[in-house]
């Protein structure tokens, strides 16, 4: 860490600056070219000299732009560069990686990375030779410098003030650019016009300031250059209008890619428009910088706060300089961890050990602590005092997945039976026997490791101690030697003091017009016939103990009697939806094998019976109520599988209105979109939880269905929600069936209660996930499967002891799918520290992000989204600032220094900030947001990791023979080569992106068509072809799908196709259409925030 | 006297009418002094094999408030083609169709022998009869099996085009859809929730055209073939389906824990049945047939809770106001009954259980709608099976002996007013000039609705003489009454039966003899009994008895011949001689005495008493006792303990029971097996004779009586002993008054 940090600011300084201007110019010029903004940027043009290097870029870009379709061009500009790089790419990667490698050890002052700016070839070229570590450092230094220069206000001013305003602008801008349509453009111009005059001056002044701050080189050149360019910009005329935008919105700047071109080339304007679309990504980077200055100046640094709200804006000048390759790369970090830690098994015996990343394949050996598959913590070293914790602002949280599935080579927890007396527990705090309990007095007593209470050992459990004070039988007893194990529960742990009966599954099928029309009902019934053979069973059981029942509904409910003795199923209609009840007891829930014939007959008849239904209205709450009542009547827990198509508008409890209103976005009322419409759903959910009735909801909406409200019950009962918008059997069949199969087959625990006990000193205070809590300590889950995760936050309520560390014990009481009542115990020991450095050394960013995302996603229920974003940014800045202040070796304040463990925090946090929930794009529906919101709530670390930072895999780079997954590349358009094919996945979506100049042979062998243009855009299935490439790609897709808990539908996207927009949404390092900042911009912004805090 | 007896009998045969007085006192004052009110028993649909209906419509008086039907009592001006209404004296033109009318060419309705005539209306679409079975599934297995068989059998007895529907209930209520293939469908309702008719129809999908099964809501019930087709289907179409469905009926599957009664939602089931028909077939002949095996134990209309330790209410509880659910339940069923009556449907109740089933609360359903009430011990008895079968018997024309949705319209000449009616009817609240302010029975109207009728259904109709004493009626004047019964015949035709009768007025001061001689003591006894029973429904038992006693005393005072202070001198004329005896037995009858009867039994007895014709009613009041001996042919004997002799076989018919009782000696003989010895064949014949006679009675009686074959000292002999006049008891071996 120290290494880089220490880099001498000065020398780099000079260098970076030149670089800087160049970028600025490019960006500005672009703007100017495209729109008025040119003026401010014009200044940059001035810097031309720096550009000299850039010009080439520009040129190269220009060419492509002209040659290739506009859309790509924008990116192309970058892209080309990128491509160019790629071409060299491999080469480049080499160096870059090495650079990074170097950093790693150094740990990171990433400040410099900012400066390095340019992934762009230009930069490279100039530095061409330099890509060595030194160069990096130099660049870094530059970054720092800028920061440093700024020393206080100015620097910040530069970066941030503007960003805010810019951000919005940029946000709009990109859209216009991309889409070809210029709505934004129109909008922006106006705003620009308004803002412009005032702004400019400030900008200038700002610039001057900046200049003053920074060494003359930067300042000097800029001003002049600025002016110079201004003129041209003005010439553009049109653009002038846009300038005002800058003030409020930087969009015009966004154009920059083009501008860059223009700047250098001169001719920009024409180029511009075409290029715009493509350029965005790059632009963002550049824009940021450009904007940065202006706004900043205009408004004194209030920027920071605004920033939070405005995602995109930030990128002050610094970003321009940043070399994307020099800033921390998630890909690199993942790769390194894989290489370093993937080979050795992870042995859990040592306290406070940070496990390998979730992206690494590793084997776990349980030697007393729970596997990271069950529990991951944000930090494995907990501050001893709450003061320290407050200072660091690092959330202390554990992400617990109590029923996590294990790889085949790891043993599932042993089941321990303590006989009639039940599991041995501490008398005071009720913690369960675990390896950390201390046996004393020759084994006659034990001291609780959580509350220190001394308990007698019951005679039947007595055992002598060996010379080390360990029980002689420690290794014979899982509860004394392992981190995770299960106890058989006694009848005291059962509801009503009765052992539970085996659970039941009830399938509740919407048979309204919509469901019939789309073919859903027929498909589902057909599938259920075979699926029922695969109900979860326990251990080696011959057949599942689970009973099944069937209900169909539209605005009334139809129950089916499928008793084995019947020749035909009987249908019972309940139309009293206002006061739901279960019309039959015997014959509703049946054993599949006994009633096979009747069930088959029923599933055959359902699609026929409703084939010509005209009923379009549906109910919802009564359906769940019915299922719950059925379980209640049968006195068992269970799960409802609900297949639902439309907003429940029929007259019944829980009737909903269409309240979707996009106008609420970005207002204080936005939160209402995430809140349920009525309290009926919550009330119902509570009843369900009390009954142990878990709901899995499959939605097939054609329009708004109010996911926010409908998902309340699944959410609170530990269920899952699946959504298939505009379901068509032909297109979505595979995805739905695959999800359904998996959902039905997965092992579930029912009627569960989870409690987390901790050592004295910390306490579990907050919980996130899909569950219900009726008090402050017990997490109640009607159902819990291996995919569901509960995130628990801890707070200090006393001092912790560095010696004894901090212990967590998570106890989950549940009913297995065979109806057995069990307790699953996970123990984890953490270290405690008195030095902040220890804390920062033992953090896990992925987990941190998991926590922060869940925290933010819950926050949107109660606060304006803007406030939530601000909170996140502030917290992140505080964490990093604290590190900078207390742990980093002294260095220029302008230097951005990140702790090694958290160097990805900014990039990941940025991904969270620009996610659909926190910053929706125009095409994101309210339902989508609500859906994602609830989905993230119960994601584990691996899922959030890939969800927020998608994996982008190049397909043709690695040798065709290699069987391993190709190394991923960073999620940025710059990284895409138009001669390659990429897979992108985030756990929910899967894209196959095809570059425009992919070799014909590749196209042929993958798609079986002769040219790029013949590939069907939006294709969701690859043809099955007998050639190595096709097999490999399809194999890869299958293996990706196998890794995720939900089936990812493939979408083939062609470069420069209209679908590409969708794809680009997932290139999270780039500026997003909805205004999300690019990685570089955000890093700059972060840097600024930190400096602000430090000063 | 013979003439009057003949007259009465003839009138009854022709018109189905029996008046308490056949010569009417001419003033109000005199009439009240007669003690027994002027009233009649009317059997509107008395079977008249000799009376074919005419194929045209009746001619009505044109005065809007009158609308009396042209009848033999009208004065006709054949030349002017005019007729004068004998009730309002309006002169009316004959309709054009009567153009050819003359003294020798008279339409039937003008002929004296057609004082009762039946018109057949051709207008209007005919709608099929509807039978809706409402079946309790909380029965013992063999009971349910027997009931299922009876129901399946009944399908073959229904007219093929009749619509039939099935509702089953237990803890839930299921309305079965009959038209479906493959899967059997039913709509289920919670048994605890009272639903409005609207809700029921909504939930059954009967109101909206939305579901494909049905088109728009039918404005006219006839046009809705599809509407209710899901629930009501022609028998011939779903014969097999329904047979299977009934065959698959299971006992209510909800568990009944020990010490509990099964949860039975009779109230809701009935409510749904009513709602279903109300929505789909208003004003069409329909029978809701409720088969229940126990008391309603939940929901609206519940009669007793499900805790077995709390017994169902008894008369004792009711007197102590201890019957928690009675008022509410009664209200619920009354509401249902009124709705059903308003729609012209009727409700039958077939209650078979050893304990009470809540007939007390539910009685109005049958009473107000003209439905049947049958009470038995089990569905697995011939009592139920044959009774049920008998409902579907046919008359000489091959038509079912049932009629629906009748309205009875009574018109009187001006000296009379209508005081009310007692019988299976509800008031239509039609006020008019001939409606009296004094009510006897269901009064305040001149029209009643009788939703279910059979040829024996009989109403008691009470009149008031309003002629003032000082406005004498001209000598030879006659009072007239016209009964117009419009009904749906079981062949689905609409018919109108018109009976017009006239009686002479007599001045009670001068012509008391005439009036006395024309007294019909049988009719009077039944009419007074109906009044008494009617009162007993709402008043305390003792009050009713006192009232009856007072009436008897007053009657005897008025018409008896006696010397003061000399009981032996008391004489009543022949026409009154039996009346006190009837009253005596009436006082002891289960209609007025609740002791030893459960509330359900009382309701059951009263139900039948209020609808049977005169003969049956008399049997109910005073059971018939026949004595069989070697001394001669069987002879009726006094219903007195003195009739119980050792060498006699007695046959008692109380209407509800038929008891054959072997005297002590006879029983010993039979035990000794004499009947099997050829030389004592006459003994065998003697034993057989009452059995044959009993069979004869059983053949015709509805509902099937309880058939009891017992002997001296047998436990079931109590049925006989409780009825006879206890002139000889264990501490009194001599006739009453002789010691």
């Amino acid at each position: 860490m120290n290494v880089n940090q220490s880099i001498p600011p000065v020398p780099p300084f000079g260098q970076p600056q030149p670089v800087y201007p160049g970028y600025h110019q490019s960006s500005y010029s672009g703007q100017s070219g495209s729109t008025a903004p040119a003026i401010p940027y014009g200044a940059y043009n001035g810097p031309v000299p720096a550009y000299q290097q850039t010009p080439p870029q520009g040129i190269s870009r220009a060419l492509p732009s002209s040659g290739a379709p506009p859309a790509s061009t924008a990116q192309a500009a970058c892209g080309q560069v990128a491509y160019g790089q790629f071409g060299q790419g491999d080469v480049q990667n080499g160096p870059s990686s090495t650079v990074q490698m170097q950093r790693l050890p150094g740990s990171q002052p990433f400040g410099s990375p900012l400066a390095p700016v340019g992934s762009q070839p230009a930069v490279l070229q100039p530095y061409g030779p330099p890509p060595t570590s030194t160069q990096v450092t130099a660049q870094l230094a530059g970054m720092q410098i800028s920061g440093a220069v700024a020393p206080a206000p100015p620097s910040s001013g530069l970066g941030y003030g503007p960003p805010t305003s810019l951000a919005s602008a940029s946000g709009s801008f990109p859209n216009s650019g991309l889409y070809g349509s210029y709505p934004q453009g129109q909008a922006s111009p106006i705003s620009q016009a308004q803002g412009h005059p005032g702004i400019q001056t400030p900008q200038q002044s700002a610039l001057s300031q900046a200049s003053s701050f920074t060494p003359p080189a930067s300042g000097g050149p800029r001003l002049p250059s600025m002016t110079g360019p201004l003129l041209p910009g003005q010439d553009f005329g049109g653009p002038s209008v846009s300038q005002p935008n800058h003030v409020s919105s930087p969009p015009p700047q966004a154009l920059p890619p083009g501008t860059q071109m223009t700047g250098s080339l001169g001719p920009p304007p024409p180029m511009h428009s075409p290029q715009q679309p493509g350029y965005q990504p790059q632009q963002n980077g550049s824009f940021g910088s450009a904007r940065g200055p202006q706004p900043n100046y205009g408004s004194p640094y209030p920027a920071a706060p605004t920033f939070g709200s405005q995602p995109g804006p930030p990128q002050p000048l610094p970003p321009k300089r940043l070399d994307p390759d020099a800033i921390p790369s998630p890909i690199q970090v993942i790769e390194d961890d894989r290489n370093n830690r993937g080979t050795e098994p992870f042995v859990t015996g040592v306290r406070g050990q940070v496990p390998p990343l979730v992206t690494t394949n590793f084997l776990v050996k349980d030697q007393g602590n729970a596997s990271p598959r069950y529990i991951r913590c944000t930090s494995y070293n907990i501050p001893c005092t709450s003061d320290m914790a407050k200072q660091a602002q690092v959330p202390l949280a554990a992400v617990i997945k109590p029923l996590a599935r294990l790889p085949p080579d790891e043993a599932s927890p042993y089941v321990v039976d303590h006989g009639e007396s039940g599991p041995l527990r501490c008398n005071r705090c009720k913690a369960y026997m675990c390896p950390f309990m201390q046996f004393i007095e020759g084994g006659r007593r034990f001291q609780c490791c959580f509350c220190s209470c001394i308990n007698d050992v019951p005679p039947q459990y007595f055992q002598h101690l060996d010379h080390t004070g360990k029980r002689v039988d420690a290794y014979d007893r899982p509860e004394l030697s392992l981190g995770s194990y299960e106890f058989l529960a006694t009848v005291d742990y059962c509801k009503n003091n009765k052992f539970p009966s085996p659970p039941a599954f009830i399938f509740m099928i919407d048979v309204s017009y919509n469901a019939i029309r789309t073919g859903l009902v027929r498909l589902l019934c057909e599938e259920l016939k075979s699926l029922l053979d695969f109900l979860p069973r326990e251990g080696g059981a011959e057949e599942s103990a689970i009973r099944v029942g069937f209900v169909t509904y539209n605005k009334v409910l139809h129950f089916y009697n499928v008793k084995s003795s019947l020749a035909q199923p009987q249908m019972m209609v309940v139309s009293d939806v206002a006061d739901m009840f279960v019309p039959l007891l015997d014959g509703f829930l049946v054993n599949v094998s006994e009633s096979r014939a009747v069930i088959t007959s029923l599933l055959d008849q359902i699609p026929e019976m409703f084939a010509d239904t005209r009923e379009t209205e549906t109910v919802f709450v009564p359906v769940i109520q019915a299922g719950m009542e059925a379980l209640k009547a049968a006195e068992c827990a269970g799960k409802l599988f609900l297949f639902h198509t439309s907003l429940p508008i029929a007259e019944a409890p829980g009737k909903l209105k269409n309240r979707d209103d996009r106008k609420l976005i970005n207002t204080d009322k936005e939160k209402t979109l995430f809140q349920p419409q009525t309290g009926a759903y919550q009330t119902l959910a509570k009843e369900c939880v009390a009954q142990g009735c878990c709901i899995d909801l499959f939605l097939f909406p054609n329009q708004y269905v109010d996911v926010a409200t409908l998902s309340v019950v699944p959410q609170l009962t530990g269920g899952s929600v699946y959504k298939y918008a505009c379901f068509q059997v032909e297109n979505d069949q595979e995805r739905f069936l695959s999800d359904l199969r998996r959902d039905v087959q997965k092992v579930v625990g029912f009627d569960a209660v989870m409690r987390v006990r901790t050592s004295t000193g910390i306490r579990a205070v907050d919980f996130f996930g899909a569950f219900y809590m009726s008090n402050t300590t017990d997490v109640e889950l009607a159902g819990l499967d291996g995919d569901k995760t509960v995130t628990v936050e801890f707070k200090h309520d006393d001092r912790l002891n560095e010696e004894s560390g901090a212990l967590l014990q998570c106890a989950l009481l549940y009913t297995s799918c065979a109806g057995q009542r069990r307790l699953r115990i996970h123990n984890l020991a953490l270290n405690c520290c008195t030095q902040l450095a220890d804390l920062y050394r033992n953090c896990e960013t992925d987990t941190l992000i998991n926590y922060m995302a869940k925290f933010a996603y819950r926050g949107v229920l109660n606060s304006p989204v803007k406030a939530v974003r601000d909170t996140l940014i502030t917290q992140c800045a505080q964490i990093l600032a604290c590190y900078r202040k207390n742990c980093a070796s002294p260095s220029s304040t302008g230097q951005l220094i990140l702790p090694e463990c958290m160097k990805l925090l900014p990039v990941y946090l940025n991904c969270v900030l620009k996610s659909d929930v926190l910053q929706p794009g125009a095409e994101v529906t309210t339902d989508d947001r609500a859906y994602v919101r609830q989905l993230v709530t119960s994601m584990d670390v691996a899922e959030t990791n890939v969800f927020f930072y998608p994996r982008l895999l190049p397909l043709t780079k690695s040798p065709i023979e290699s069987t391993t997954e190709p190394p991923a590349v960073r999620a940025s358009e710059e990284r895409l080569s138009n001669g390659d094919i990429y897979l992108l996945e985030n756990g929910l979506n899967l894209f196959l992106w095809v570059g425009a100049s992919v070799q014909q042979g590749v196209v042929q062998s993958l798609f079986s068509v002769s040219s790029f243009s013949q590939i069907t855009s939006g294709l969701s299935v690859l043809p099955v072809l007998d050639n190595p490439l096709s097999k490999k790609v399809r194999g890869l897709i299958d293996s990706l799908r196998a890794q995720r808990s939900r089936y990812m539908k493939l979408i083939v996207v062609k470069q420069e196709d209209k679908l590409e927009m969708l794809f680009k949404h997932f290139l999270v390092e780039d500026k997003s259409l909805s205004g999300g900042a690019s990685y570089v911009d955000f890093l700059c912004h972060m840097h600024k925030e930190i400096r602000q805090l430090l000063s | 006297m013979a003439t009057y007896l003949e007259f009465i009998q003839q009138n009854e045969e022709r018109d189905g009418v029996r008046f308490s007085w056949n010569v009417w006192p001419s003033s109000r004052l005199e009439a009240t002094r007669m003690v027994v009110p002027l009233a009649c028993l009317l059997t509107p649909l008395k079977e008249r094999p000799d009376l074919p209906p005419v194929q045209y419509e009746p001619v009505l008086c044109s005065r809007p408030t009158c609308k009396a039907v042209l009848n033999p009592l009208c004065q006709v001006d054949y030349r002017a083609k005019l007729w004068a209404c004998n009730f309002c004296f309006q002169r009316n033109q004959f309709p054009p169709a009567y153009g050819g009318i003359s003294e020798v060419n008279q339409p039937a309705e003008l002929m004296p022998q057609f004082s009762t005539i039946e018109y057949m209306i051709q207008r209007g679409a005919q709608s099929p009869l509807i039978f809706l079975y409402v079946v309790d599934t909380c029965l013992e297995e063999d009971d349910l099996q027997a009931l299922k068989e009876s129901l399946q059998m009944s399908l073959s007895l229904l007219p093929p085009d009749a619509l039939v529907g099935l509702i089953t209930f237990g803890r839930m209520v299921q309305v079965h859809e009959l038209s479906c293939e493959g899967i059997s469908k039913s709509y289920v309702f919670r048994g605890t929730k009272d639903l409005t008719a609207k809700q029921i129809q909504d939930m059954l999908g009967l109101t909206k055209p939305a579901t494909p099964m049905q088109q728009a809501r039918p404005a006219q019930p006839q046009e809705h073939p599809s509407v209710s087709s899901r629930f009501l289907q022609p028998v011939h179409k779903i014969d097999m389906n329904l047979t299977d469905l009934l065959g698959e009926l299971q006992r209510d599957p909800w568990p009944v824990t020990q010490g509990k009664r099964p949860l039975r939602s009779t109230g809701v089931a009935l409510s749904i049945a009513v709602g279903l028909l109300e929505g789909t077939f208003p004003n069409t002949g329909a029978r809701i047939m409720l088969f229940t095996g126990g008391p309603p134990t939940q929901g609206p209309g519940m009669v007793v809770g499900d805790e077995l330790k709390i017994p169902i209410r008894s008369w004792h509880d009711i007197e102590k106001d201890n019957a928690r659910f009675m008022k509410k339940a009664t209200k619920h069923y009354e509401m249902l009954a009124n709705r059903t009556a308003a729609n012209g449907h009727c409700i039958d109740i077939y209650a078979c259980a050893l304990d009470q089933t809540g007939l007390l609360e539910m009685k109005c359903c049958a009473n107000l709608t003209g439905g049947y009430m049958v009470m038995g011990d089990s569905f697995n008895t011939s009592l139920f099976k044959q009774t049920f079968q008998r409902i579907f018997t046919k008359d000489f024309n091959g038509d079912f002996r049932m009629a629906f949705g009748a309205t009875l319209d009574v018109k009187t000449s001006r000296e009379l007013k209508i005081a009310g009616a007692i019988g299976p009817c509800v008031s239509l609240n039609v006020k008019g000039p001939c409606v009296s302010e004094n009510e006897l029975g269901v009064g305040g109207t001149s029209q009643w609705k009788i939703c279910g009728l059979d040829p024996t259904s009989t109403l008691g109709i009470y009149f008031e003489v309003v002629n003032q004493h000082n406005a004498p009626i001209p000598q030879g004047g006659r009072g007239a009454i016209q009964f117009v019964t419009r009904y749906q015949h079981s062949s689905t035709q609409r018919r109108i039966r018109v009976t017009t009768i006239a009686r002479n007025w007599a001045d009670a001061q001068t012509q008391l003899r005439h009036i006395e001689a024309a007294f019909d003591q049988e009719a009077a006894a039944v009419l007074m009994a109906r009044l008494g029973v009617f009162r007993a429904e709402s008043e305390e038992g003792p009050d009713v008895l006192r009232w009856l006693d007072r009436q008897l005393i007053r009657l005897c005072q008025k018409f008896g011949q006696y010397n003061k202070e000399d009981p032996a001198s008391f004489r009543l004329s022949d026409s009154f001689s039996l009346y006190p005896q009837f009253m005596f037995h009436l006082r002891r009858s289960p209609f007025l005495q609740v002791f030893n009867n459960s509330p359900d039994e009382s309701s059951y007895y009263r139900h039948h008493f209020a609808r049977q014709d005169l003969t049956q009613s008399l049997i109910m009041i005073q059971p018939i006792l026949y004595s069989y001996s070697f001394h001669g042919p069987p002879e009726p004997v006094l219903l007195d303990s003195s009739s119980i002799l050792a060498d006699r076989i007695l046959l008692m018919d109380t209407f509800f029971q038929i008891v054959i009782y072997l005297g002590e000696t006879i029983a010993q003989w039979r035990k000794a097996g004499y009947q099997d010895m050829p030389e004592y064949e006459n003994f065998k014949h003697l034993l057989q004779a009452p059995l044959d006679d009993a069979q004869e009675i059983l053949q015709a009686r509805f509902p099937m009586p309880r058939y009891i074959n017992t002997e001296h000292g047998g436990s079931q002999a109590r049925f006989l002993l409780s009825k006879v006049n206890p002139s000889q008891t264990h501490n009194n071996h001599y006739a009453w008054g002789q010691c």
Side-chain angles (χ1 to χ4, degrees), chain A residues 404-686:
Chain A
R405 261 185 303 258
L406 301 177
D409 39 2
E410 287 176 25
S412 47
Y414 291 96
V415 179
V416 181
D417 186 357
H418 276 183
E420 286 181 8
S421 56
L424 191 52
R425 310 172 68 169
C426 167
N427 287 333
R428 188 202 290 163
C429 69
K430 302 293 176 194
Y432 294 85
M433 179 51 68
C434 73
F436 311 121
M437 296 286 188
Q438 276 296 321
F439 286 86
I440 54 176
E441 295 182 26
R444 277 175 288 128
R445 298 182 153 194
F446 70 91
Q447 181 169 26
C448 174
C449 50
F450 294 95
C451 69
S452 305
C453 173
I454 296 188
N455 301 274
D456 289 333
V457 174
Q460 72 275 14
Y461 198 72
F462 175 78
Q463 184 58 262
H464 293 288
L465 307 185
D466 66 10
H467 61 284
T468 62
K470 234 177 176 179
R471 275 173 65 119
V472 176
D473 65 350
Y475 291 101
D476 299 334
R477 291 187 175 269
E479 76 271 25
L480 296 181
S481 56
L482 296 179
S484 303
Y485 44 87
E486 292 197 326
F487 286 116
L488 275 191
T490 59
V491 79
D492 296 337
Y493 293 82
C494 302
K495 198 181 274 178
N496 304 329
N497 277 345
K498 257 168 71 183
F499 279 115
S501 19
F505 281 180
I506 304 179
F507 297 90
M508 317 189 90
I509 307 167
D510 181 348
V511 289
S512 65
Y513 176 73
N514 274 336
I516 297 293
R517 186 184 50 85
T518 55
L520 167 66
V521 173
R522 191 170 293 276
L523 177 70
L524 177 60
C525 290
E526 200 51 43
E527 177 64 21
L528 281 181
K529 277 190 244 172
S530 50
L531 192 53
L532 292 177
D533 288 329
F534 299 99
L535 298 180
R537 63 192 79 172
E538 196 154 61
E542 274 288 297
E543 64 179 40
S544 175
I546 291 176
R547 289 173 297 162
V548 297
F550 302 88
V551 172
T552 58
Y553 66 94
N554 37 47
K555 67 176 188 183
V556 299
L557 276 78
H558 319 107
F559 293 78
Y560 295 92
N561 184 349
V562 284
K563 202 153 90 172
S564 56
S565 59
L566 294 176
Q568 279 289 338
Q570 290 174 355
M571 175 204 232
M572 305 177 117
V573 184
V574 173
S575 19
D576 188 3
V577 288
D579 189 10
M580 189 41 64
F581 63 98
V582 181
L584 77 172
L585 181 61
D586 193 24
F588 178 62
L589 294 176
V590 296
N591 180 297
V592 175
S593 56
E594 283 170 15
S595 291
R596 159 87 52 206
V598 193
I599 291 176
T600 308
S601 157
L602 171 66
L603 292 172
D604 281 337
Q605 290 187 56
I606 287 177
E608 305 305 330
M609 273 191 293
F610 300 99
D612 32 9
T613 185
R614 267 179 263 154
E615 185 57 68
T616 55
E617 295 186 357
T618 56
V619 294
F620 190 81
V621 163
V623 182
I624 293 179
Q625 217 160 22
M628 181 194 65
E629 295 287 346
L631 294 180
K632 197 184 271 177
E635 295 179 327
C636 67
K639 195 161 171 179
L640 314 182
F641 296 83
L642 209 61
F643 305 89
H644 191 80
T645 58
S646 55
L647 193 65
I649 51 169
E651 199 52 60
K655 174 181 172 178
L656 297 182
K657 296 193 293 276
N658 187 340
R659 48 124 187 210
D660 189 11
D661 185 0
R662 293 195 64 89
K663 288 202 281 294
L664 294 182
I665 292 177
N666 284 327
T667 68
D668 282 357
K669 286 198 178 150
E670 185 171 2
K671 60 188 178 196
T672 59
L673 294 179
F674 295 110
Q675 294 167 341
Q677 276 190 42
T678 85
Y681 288 76
Q682 264 136 333
T683 316
L684 175 66
K686 279 180 214 166

Side-chain angles (χ1 to χ4, degrees), chain B residues 19-79:
Chain B
F19 274 93
S20 52
W21 304 99
N22 286 296
V23 172
W24 297 343
S26 60
S27 75
R28 173 196 288 266
L29 191 63
E30 287 162 6
T32 51
R33 284 184 186 155
M34 297 292 147
V35 183
V36 174
L38 171 56
C40 74
L41 285 167
L42 170 70
T43 308
L45 295 190
K46 185 171 177 60
E47 278 187 347
R48 289 286 307 276
D50 55 328
L51 180 74
V54 296
Q55 305 277 337
Y56 51 85
E57 295 188 19
V59 176
L60 303 183
C61 169
S62 60
R63 189 188 292 267
T65 54
C66 178
K67 298 240 174 205
V69 179
L70 177 64
N71 61 70
L73 303 177
C74 293
Q75 290 193 347
V76 177
D77 182 338
Y78 291 102
R79 277 197 326 183

Side-chain angles (χ1 to χ4, degrees), chain B residues 185-205:
Chain B
K185 282 189 206 174
S186 58
Y187 282 63
V188 188
F189 295 82
R190 195 197 273 277
T192 50
K193 191 173 171 189
D194 200 5
L195 298 165
T196 63
K198 170 86 170 58
Q199 282 173 311
I200 290 168
Q201 287 154 25
D202 279 348
M203 290 180 185
L204 289 175

